[in-house]
Amino acid sequence: MSALIEATALEKHFAFGEGRLLSRRSGRLRAVDGVSLRIAHGETLGLVGESGCGKSTLGRLLIRLIEPTAGAIFFEGEEITRRPTKALREKRRAMQIIFQDPYGALNPRMRVEDIIMEPLLIHGAKSDGPTRQKVSEMLNLVGLPRHARDRFPHEFSGGQRQRIGIARALVLRPKLVVCDEPVSALDVSVQAQIVNLLQDLQGELRLTYLFIAHDLSVVKHISNRVAVMYLGKIVEVAEKRELYAKPLHPYTQALIAAVPVAHPGNRASARAARARVSGDVPSALHPPAGCRFHTRCPYVMTICRAEEPKITEPRAGHEVACHLVGSS
Amino acid sequence: MSLLEVAGLTTAFKTRRGEITAIEDVSFTLAERQILGIVGESGSGKSVTALTIMGLLPNPPARIASGEVRFDGTVLTRLSDARMQKIRGSGIAMVFQEPMTSLNPVFTIGEQLMETLRAHERLSPKAQRERAIEMLTRVGIPSAALRLGDYPHQLSGGQRQRVMIAIALACRPRLLIADEPTTALDVTVQAQILDLLLDLRDEFGMAIIIITHNMGVIAQTADRVLVMYAGRIVEEARIGALFDRPLHPYTRGLLECVPSLEQDKARLAAIPGTLPDPASRPRGCRYAPRCALRIEACTAAIPALLGIQGEHAAACIRATPS
Ligand SMILES: Nc1ncnc2c1ncn2[C@@H]1O[C@H](COP(=O)(O)OP(=O)(O)OP(=O)(O)O)[C@@H](O)[C@H]1O
Ligand SMILES: Nc1ncnc2c1ncn2[C@@H]1O[C@H](COP(=O)(O)OP(=O)(O)OP(=O)(O)O)[C@@H](O)[C@H]1O
Ligand code: SF4
Ligand code: SF4
Ligand SMILES: [Mg+2]
Ligand SMILES: [Mg+2]
C-alpha cells in the first residue's frame, strides 16, 4: 500500500521558562522528538500514550497546523514541510482535524449552518444555493436533522456537538482526518454512536484516519495499526492484533496490562500481569537519559540508562525501540 | 447490622428552571469491608448521592426532600453540623476526582495531613509526623519523610491522588467514598491506585463506595454494584451476577456498547439517543425513549426496583429471572 502521509525524523520543541533567570527549569521541551511514521491510503493508524506524551502535537504537525522544528512530511509523495502557505492550500484542504472537546471547538455565536459552511467559504466558495446544499448533505451524513442548521451549538448534547464538529471537518472532503480524542469527553453510550459514525464515514468517503486516544480498547476497535508513544517518541508500532497479542516493548505491555478488565473473573490474572511497573510518567521537561522508560521499566539493564534504543523491526511490520529486542 | 443504610433518599436542587430532583428514592445498604460500586453516566446522580451521605451539599440550593442516611446506627441526615464534622474524617472520608482542587495549594502536604490528624485525634507532634510518614509510605509515595515539605504543585497527578487517599485514611475511617478517584489519571497510574484501594481495604478493613462511569473500574474492584440512570437506581446486584446476567436493558446496553480488548466486535452496539435532561424527564421508565424492549406499559409509571432473583434487583417491568 502506498503512503498517503509520511513523516521522517519529526521534531517539535517548545521553549519554556524564558526570562526567569534563576529558574533551572528553562530550556526546551521536546514534545515530539524524532518521530517517523507512515499512514497508508484508507488506513486507520491508532496513536496511544499517556497524557503529555505528544500525541496532539504530532497530529497537529502532520497536518501542518504547527511548524515542525526539524524533520520532513510528505503528503501523497510530495514534501509539504517547507512549502509557502499559498502552495499548501490545496493540501490543507485534504487534511482536517476533529477535536476532543465538542464544547470548546465550536464558535458559540455561530449557527450550525455557518459553522459547517465556514471552511468552504475560506476555500473560496460563495454562500449560495449549492454551498448550502453541501451543508445539508453533511448534516444528513452525520445523522443530524435538517432543522439543526438554524440552531446554535449550546442547543445540542455533547454527542450531537461532536457530529457538528465532524461535519465541519468533512465538508471539504478531506483525505486525511486527524481524530484527536474525538470520543473521550462523551458518555459511553454516546461514544459508541460516534465511533460507529466515524467508521461508516471512513467507508463512504474513503478517509484515512490518525486516531488519537488514551483508551486502548477504543483504539484497538477502530484501528488497523497502532503506534505507542512515550515522552515524545514512538516506542512501538504494529498491526493491531499483533500489537495487542504480542507487545514487545515493556511500556506497551504495561499499558495493556493497565486496562481495566472487561469481566470481574479476570481480576486476579490482570493484577498479576501489571504488578511490575510502578511510578508515574516523568516530567517531559527533564526526560530520563538513554531509554526514556528506564525509570519505570521492570527489565531495565545498564545499557538502558546510557544509550537510547534504536528502532528495529524484529518481525515484518512490527517496529520497536528497546534494547531487549535489539540484543536478542 | 449494616454499616451504612440509605433509605428512600431524594435530593432536590433549586435551579433557575424550577426545582429538579437530582436523585430519587435511592436505597441501599453497605456492610463492613464491602466495596460497593456505583456506576452511571454523566448526570445520573452518583456524586449527589455521595455528597448527600457526607452532608456536603449546601442548603439552599440543595434540599433532602425525603429519606435518611444511617451510619453505624446514627441517622446522619438529622445531625448538627458540628457532629457531622466529627463523623467526616474519622467515620466516613471522601476522595474526589480532581486531587488538585481538593488539596490546598498554599500548605505543604505534611501540614495538610497533620491538620487532619489533629482534628480527630490527640497525638503529640512527633506522633503526628510519624503517622503522616507512615500513611504516605503506605500509599506509595517514595521517600515520604522528604516529601512532607512539598507543596501540591510539586507532585504529579498520581502522587496528588495518593496524598488525598493518605489524608482520607489518616484517621482510619470505617467508610471511604471515592468519587471517580482515577478518572483524571493516566491508565497505568489508574491501575496502581485501584490496586492500592483494594489493598487498603484488606489492611484496614474499611468499606468503600467507588463511584465511576467506567464498567471496567467496577469489574476491577466492586463486590456489589448499583447502576444509576437519570437519578434512580435501575439495577442492584453482586458483581458476578451483574456481568453474567445483567437484568436491566440499560445495564446490558452499557456492557455491550464498549469495545473490549479480549473480544473483537465488528461494530459497537450503540445505545440510541441521549440521557434525559433532569428538568424534562420522560414519563414512566426514564430509559424508555432509548429502550429496544419498550412497550406501552413502560411509560405508565416509574418501575420499582424489585428483587428478581435473590438479591439481584432491577427497575424494569420486563426483567425476568433467567
Ligand atoms: N503550545 C505549547 N507550548 C508549550 N508546550 C506545549 C505546547 N503544546 C504542548 N506542549 C507540551 O508538549 C507536551 C506534549 O503535549 P501534547 O498536547 O501533544 O500531549 P498529548 O499526548 O496530546 O496529551 P493529552 O493526552 O493530555 O492530550 C506536553 O508536555 C505539553 O505540555
Ligand atoms: N449544585 C447543583 N445545582 C443544580 N443541579 C445540580 C447541582 N449538582 C448536581 N446537579 C444535578 O444533579 C444531577 C446529578 O448530578 P451528579 O453530579 O450527581 O451526576 P454524576 O452522576 O456524578 O455525573 P458525572 O459523571 O458527570 O460526575 C445532574 O442532573 C446535575 O445537573
Ligand atoms: S530499553 Fe531497557 S529500559 Fe527501555 S524499555 Fe527496553 S528494557 Fe526497558
Ligand atoms: S421498563 Fe420498559 S422501557 Fe424501561 S427498561 Fe424495562 S423494558 Fe425498557
Ligand atoms: Mg492531546
Ligand atoms: Mg460526579
Side-chain angles (χ1 to χ4, degrees):
Chain A
M1 268 191 295
S2 63
L4 175 66
I5 190 151
E6 185 164 5
T8 52
L10 264 192
E11 291 187 20
K12 179 67 187 179
H13 305 176
F14 293 110
F16 65 90
E18 281 159 317
R20 290 167 57 198
L21 278 175
L22 293 178
S23 169
R24 71 188 162 88
R25 293 170 181 261
S26 74
R28 290 167 103 53
L29 182 151
R30 295 162 170 261
V32 169
D33 196 9
V35 165
S36 300
L37 60 78
R38 59 204 306 269
I39 312 177
H41 281 278
E43 169 180 62
T44 299
L45 177 69
L47 183 59
V48 297
E50 293 176 286
S51 186
C53 70
K55 304 181 296 297
S56 298
T57 305
L58 177 56
R60 277 154 220 240
L61 281 175
L62 284 182
I63 64 169
R64 294 291 319 270
L65 278 182
I66 51 177
E67 291 295 314
T69 309
I73 303 163
F74 302 84
F75 187 79
E76 296 183 310
E78 237 180 281
E79 173 155 9
I80 57 167
T81 334
R82 277 158 207 92
R83 287 272 211 99
T85 327
K86 228 170 135 197
L88 250 180
R89 183 162 266 218
E90 268 316 296
K91 301 288 180 202
R92 272 251 165 90
R93 211 188 151 116
M95 305 186 286
Q96 297 294 323
I97 185 163
I98 300 168
F99 295 99
Q100 162 173 2
D101 180 8
Y103 305 89
L106 306 173
N107 183 339
R109 283 181 292 279
M110 278 168 77
R111 290 181 324 128
V112 166
E113 176 168 67
D114 297 323
I115 289 173
I116 299 174
M117 194 160 25
E118 192 179 44
L120 290 169
L121 302 184
I122 291 171
H123 283 271
K126 286 196 198 60
S127 170
D128 54 9
T131 305
R132 272 168 219 284
Q133 182 55 31
K134 274 192 189 155
V135 173
S136 292
E137 282 166 24
M138 281 320 299
L139 283 174
N140 189 30
L141 205 58
V142 299
L144 285 170
R146 269 181 78 86
H147 63 246
R149 281 190 310 198
D150 303 316
R151 307 247 170 110
F152 292 89
H154 74 261
E155 298 175 62
F156 294 89
S157 69
Q160 286 173 317
R161 277 185 264 220
Q162 195 53 288
R163 289 176 198 267
I164 298 169
I166 292 171
R168 178 182 157 96
L170 299 189
V171 72
L172 290 168
R173 297 298 160 117
K175 293 176 178 164
L176 173 70
V177 181
V178 171
C179 305
D180 192 355
E181 311 244 15
V183 299
S184 307
L186 304 176
D187 275 311
V188 285
S189 69
V190 179
Q191 264 186 21
Q193 297 169 10
I194 299 297
V195 167
N196 287 345
L197 174 67
L198 287 170
Q199 285 186 310
D200 292 345
L201 291 170
Q202 178 166 44
E204 267 167 68
L205 307 176
R206 299 166 184 281
L207 300 171
T208 301
Y209 287 149
L210 176 70
F211 192 93
I212 300 174
H214 55 261
D215 182 329
L216 267 76
S217 314
V218 171
V219 167
K220 181 177 182 212
H221 176 77
I222 203 167
S223 307
N224 302 109
R225 285 187 306 134
V226 176
V228 180
M229 236 180 139
Y230 190 75
L231 286 174
K233 298 197 177 280
I234 289 184
V235 297
E236 184 162 11
V237 57
E239 190 276 324
K240 72 166 167 195
R241 278 187 198 81
E242 160 114 0
L243 187 94
Y244 285 82
K246 299 191 198 79
L248 292 173
H249 197 283
Y251 179 60
T252 312
Q253 293 165 3
L255 271 186
I256 293 173
V259 174
V261 295
H263 191 280
N266 304 335
R267 258 184 216 177
S269 55
R271 181 158 190 179
R274 71 171 165 265
R276 296 179 306 254
V277 171
S278 60
D280 297 357
V281 184
S283 159
L285 302 179
H286 308 283
C291 170
R292 291 181 180 190
F293 190 56
H294 85 243
T295 52
R296 305 171 75 195
C297 180
Y299 310 108
V300 56
M301 306 169 287
T302 315
I303 183 176
C304 306
R305 298 197 178 86
E307 208 176 292
E308 189 176 322
K310 292 196 175 47
I311 293 264
T312 56
E313 192 172 348
R315 309 156 73 99
H318 192 155
E319 296 174 30
V320 60
C322 169
H323 289 303
L324 279 178
V325 179
S327 63
S328 64
Chain B
M1 195 188 62
S2 303
L3 180 65
L4 181 74
E5 285 173 58
V6 175
L9 201 60
T10 299
T11 304
F13 286 96
K14 276 205 184 64
T15 72
R16 273 177 295 138
R17 295 186 292 166
E19 200 174 61
I20 60 145
T21 53
I23 58 169
E24 224 173 80
D25 200 17
V26 167
S27 303
F28 63 90
T29 61
L30 177 62
E32 309 239 15
R33 308 181 67 91
Q34 201 169 51
I35 300 186
L36 176 74
I38 302 183
V39 65
E41 293 178 285
S42 185
S44 58
K46 307 180 297 293
S47 296
V48 170
T49 302
L51 294 169
T52 307
I53 294 170
M54 292 291 287
L56 284 175
L57 288 171
N59 176 0
R63 173 176 80 87
I64 298 180
S66 62
E68 63 174 35
V69 176
R70 196 181 281 267
F71 176 72
D72 202 17
T74 309
V75 179
L76 300 187
T77 30
R78 273 189 246 127
L79 235 45
S80 68
D81 285 351
R83 288 195 54 205
M84 194 62 217
Q85 186 71 46
K86 274 227 119 43
I87 300 238
R88 279 196 295 268
S90 56
I92 312 179
M94 189 158 170
V95 178
F96 299 88
Q97 170 173 345
E98 207 355 285
M100 198 59 201
T101 54
S102 26
L103 285 169
N104 190 331
V106 302
F107 292 105
T108 66
I109 60 170
E111 284 163 343
Q112 297 186 55
L113 247 171
M114 288 185 266
E115 163 73 32
T116 310
L117 286 168
R118 259 198 305 280
H120 295 280
E121 275 180 70
R122 280 173 185 280
L123 289 173
S124 69
K126 184 160 170 283
Q128 280 173 25
R129 203 184 131 80
E130 275 163 14
R131 177 83 76 85
I133 293 171
E134 178 198 326
M135 288 311 301
L136 287 178
T137 308
R138 183 59 202 88
V139 298
I141 301 274
S143 8
L146 300 174
R147 310 301 306 244
L148 283 179
D150 279 1
Y151 289 90
H153 72 87
Q154 293 173 287
L155 306 177
S156 70
Q159 285 174 330
R160 284 197 286 265
Q161 194 57 288
R162 288 175 202 274
V163 170
M164 281 311 301
I165 293 172
I167 291 175
L169 298 186
C171 299
R172 307 277 150 91
R174 296 174 65 198
L175 169 62
L176 174 71
I177 303 181
D179 188 356
E180 309 258 11
T182 59
T183 304
L185 303 177
D186 281 320
V187 279
T188 55
V189 183
Q190 159 169 300
Q192 294 166 23
I193 298 281
L194 293 179
D195 289 343
L196 172 67
L197 285 176
L198 292 179
D199 289 346
L200 293 171
R201 185 266 302 259
D202 293 342
E203 193 174 323
F204 297 136
M206 72 212 165
I208 301 179
I209 296 179
I210 186 151
I211 292 175
T212 176
H213 61 270
N214 184 334
M215 272 292 189
V217 169
I218 293 287
Q220 194 84 51
T221 54
D223 301 319
R224 266 173 63 230
V225 188
L226 306 177
V227 182
M228 291 189 78
Y229 187 78
R232 301 184 65 96
I233 297 175
V234 296
E235 183 156 1
E236 172 176 5
R238 299 206 143 267
I239 181 81
L242 190 89
F243 281 81
D244 292 336
R245 295 177 297 281
L247 290 174
H248 197 283
Y250 175 60
T251 311
R252 284 204 289 271
L254 270 188
L255 288 169
E256 280 164 17
C257 72
V258 292
S260 111
L261 276 192
E262 285 131 60
Q263 190 193 346
D264 286 341
K265 304 175 182 175
R267 199 176 167 78
L268 299 180
I271 304 176
T274 49
L275 297 134
D277 179 337
S280 54
R281 285 176 176 143
R283 247 166 54 86
C285 172
R286 289 178 181 165
Y287 187 58
R290 309 176 74 187
C291 182
L293 298 182
R294 175 189 61 237
I295 52 175
E296 214 170 306
C298 298
T299 50
I302 296 179
L305 182 68
L306 296 176
I308 307 285
Q309 232 171 358
E311 301 167 68
H312 195 159
C316 167
I317 59 170
R318 303 201 64 189
T320 48
S322 49

